[in-house]
Amino acid sequence: MQATTRVPAKSGVSSSAKRVAASGRRVLVVPNAVKDVFMPALSSTMTEGKIVSWLKNVGDKVKKGEALVVVESDKADMDVESFADGILGAIVVQEGERAVVGAPIAFVAENANEAPAAAPAPAPAPVAAPAPPAPTPVPAAPVGRADGRIVATPYAKQLAKDLKVDLATVAGTGPNGRITAADATTVSELRGTTKPFSTLQAAVARNMNESLKVPEFRVSYAITTDKLDALYQQLKPKGVTMTALLAKACGVALAKHPLLYAACTPDGNGITYSSQINVALAVAMPDGGLITPVLKNADSTDLYQMSRNWADLVKRARSKQLQPDEYNSGNFTISNLGMYGVETFDAILPPGTAAIMAVGGSKPTVVASPDGMIGVKKVMNVNLTADHRIVYGADAAEFLQTLKAVIENPDQLLF
């Protein structure tokens, strides 16, 4: 949030207030020594913000550095601090309303006598007030089953048959992901409707469009995971997660391939090398969209701390409480759909990074050893998508060779 000393307009109404009047909000006469509170840019992709809640009321004293308002950005809800001492003189953008980045959302006065005074705005033409809509019950967040099985109540199955709803497309809200009749009905009610993007979904859509401007290529690799799975079973009782193991393995491999966590310069004429290896991992959000919490220094952080960090990041991501640096500082991304039974897929490169790796599930596979013997091993397919402006085919292949060596000999991840 910014707060700057006001320069009064000649008419006695600030230029900020004039803009507010043009937008249909009330006009404020702003005296000298009153400071604007602007909608802050909470991330590099944020173009507008939504006021979640004001933590102060008009007339309350405000201290510099004190949380003033909660703003919903494109990725998280964040407390925004005041940059000035004084009194909250007026709130221009109310809770639930949106404003573009840089627009005034409130005014802070040095004292009550200098608080902005409301001036009557031009009266709009009278219109008939619409009848208030009936309140819509909020469904519980759906919980998918980890084993991929379709479990539904008998009535839900019959209802799905009558409504022609494919239960494979329905996420259950019942115990352990059980599909209820209400779940089947909800899916049916969505048919033929149009639902606007959430703030997060809109941000994801913008990033996906930006990614189309980058020349990408893809490389696939098969890696045996028997030893990694054995290490996971050994460390799981101590709180180590498979996510941490994969991130750590990538961090160790990336340390030998700096191009894979670099970035092409904005003008497309150079390479910016990163000083840290920060692995971002895609997490689907319950209300749509996804976010990429970041495990920083993935090459040097120990597995136990990394697992604790990941649990904390996911918890706060679900409640939209991540700080920008915790979701926008990644320079290599992992997208893992293996837990859904997906064997192989391609991921879309996030703008401003060199590579993203798509991870499929491990499954028993008949393989031939170098000496010609046939056996069964668990094999995982990974697909790397890379920015061809700075990463070439040989660079991607060499990184995947290194990653394969790390995963197939995972004891080095303990150090």
Side-chain angles (χ1 to χ4, degrees):
M1 177 179 301
Q2 285 180 287
T4 55
T5 303
R6 292 213 47 79
V7 178
K10 293 181 180 178
S11 64
V13 179
S14 74
S15 57
S16 295
K18 288 179 178 178
R19 289 195 300 272
V20 171
S23 69
R25 297 191 176 106
R26 60 177 178 157
V27 181
L28 296 173
V29 180
V30 183
N32 294 326
V34 173
K35 300 174 182 178
D36 282 337
V37 178
F38 295 113
M39 175 62 73
L42 300 177
S43 73
S44 59
T45 58
M46 178 175 168
T47 58
E48 67 173 14
K50 175 182 176 182
I51 302 298
V52 177
S53 63
W54 284 98
L55 305 178
K56 295 287 186 178
N57 297 316
V58 173
D60 288 352
K61 291 184 177 180
V62 177
K63 294 182 180 179
K64 182 178 180 180
E66 184 178 18
L68 181 64
V69 62
V70 180
V71 171
E72 178 188 78
S73 71
D74 51 4
K75 297 291 179 67
D77 294 350
M78 296 188 62
D79 291 349
V80 179
E81 299 175 351
S82 172
F83 268 47
D85 294 329
I87 292 174
L88 182 58
I91 293 175
V92 178
V93 183
Q94 303 298 321
E95 294 180 0
E97 295 182 342
R98 297 178 180 274
V100 298
V101 169
I105 59 175
F107 298 100
V108 174
E110 290 186 358
N111 55 62
N113 294 331
E114 294 175 340
V127 296
T136 302
V138 180
V143 179
R145 289 181 60 89
D147 57 11
R149 292 173 55 210
I150 299 174
V151 179
T153 65
Y155 181 50
K157 292 179 181 179
Q158 182 60 49
L159 196 59
K161 182 179 179 180
D162 295 341
L163 297 174
K164 295 181 173 56
V165 172
D166 182 2
L167 288 179
T169 66
V170 181
T173 60
N176 299 317
R178 188 180 184 90
I179 298 171
T180 66
D183 299 327
T185 303
T186 299
V187 171
S188 177
E189 290 173 349
L190 289 175
R191 290 178 174 177
T193 65
T194 300
K195 183 180 179 182
F197 281 153
S198 66
T199 305
L200 179 56
Q201 288 171 317
V204 172
R206 287 195 299 270
N207 279 341
M208 295 302 96
N209 288 331
E210 282 297 312
S211 73
L212 296 176
K213 302 176 183 179
V214 178
E216 302 174 352
F217 74 100
R218 296 167 179 82
V219 179
S220 180
Y221 222 84
I223 302 174
T224 59
T225 62
D226 296 87
K227 291 184 179 179
L228 184 71
D229 293 335
L231 180 62
Y232 171 59
Q233 293 301 324
Q234 175 187 337
L235 299 178
K236 184 179 179 180
K238 300 178 182 179
V240 173
T241 65
M242 180 57 76
T243 297
L245 280 167
L246 287 173
K248 179 71 172 180
C250 285
V252 171
L254 286 166
K256 300 179 181 179
H257 303 274
L259 264 179
L260 272 294
Y261 60 97
C264 187
T265 56
D267 61 8
N269 293 322
I271 302 172
T272 300
Y273 290 91
S274 301
S275 59
Q276 294 179 307
I277 298 176
N278 296 338
V279 175
L281 298 107
V283 174
M285 298 293 280
D287 56 348
L290 59 84
I291 196 167
T292 52
V294 178
L295 288 171
K296 299 180 181 180
N297 300 307
D299 56 325
S300 57
T301 305
D302 71 77
L303 280 170
Y304 304 99
Q305 184 61 52
M306 192 175 289
S307 296
R308 289 191 292 270
N309 292 348
W310 181 244
D312 175 62
L313 286 168
V314 171
K315 179 181 178 181
R316 290 189 291 114
R318 300 289 191 192
S319 59
K320 303 178 72 175
Q321 295 299 314
L322 291 180
Q323 297 297 311
D325 189 54
E326 294 176 319
Y327 60 77
N328 65 13
S329 59
N331 44 40
F332 182 87
T333 306
I334 297 174
S335 181
N336 183 6
L337 294 179
M339 70 286 289
Y340 296 104
V342 174
E343 295 180 11
T344 181
F345 70 102
D346 290 323
I348 298 176
L349 184 69
T353 62
I356 180 173
M357 189 174 74
V359 179
S362 294
K363 69 171 187 175
T365 305
V366 177
V367 297
S369 64
D371 57 3
M373 300 297 291
I374 301 297
V376 176
K377 293 186 177 181
K378 294 188 72 175
V379 176
M380 172 181 73
N381 290 308
V382 298
N383 290 15
L384 189 77
T385 302
D387 183 345
H388 212 334
R389 294 174 299 176
I390 63 174
V391 178
Y392 303 139
D395 300 316
E398 289 169 359
F399 164 72
L400 290 174
Q401 282 183 327
T402 303
L403 180 65
K404 175 182 173 72
V406 172
I407 290 177
E408 294 183 353
N409 299 279
D411 288 343
Q412 58 190 297
L413 301 178
L414 297 173
F415 303 103

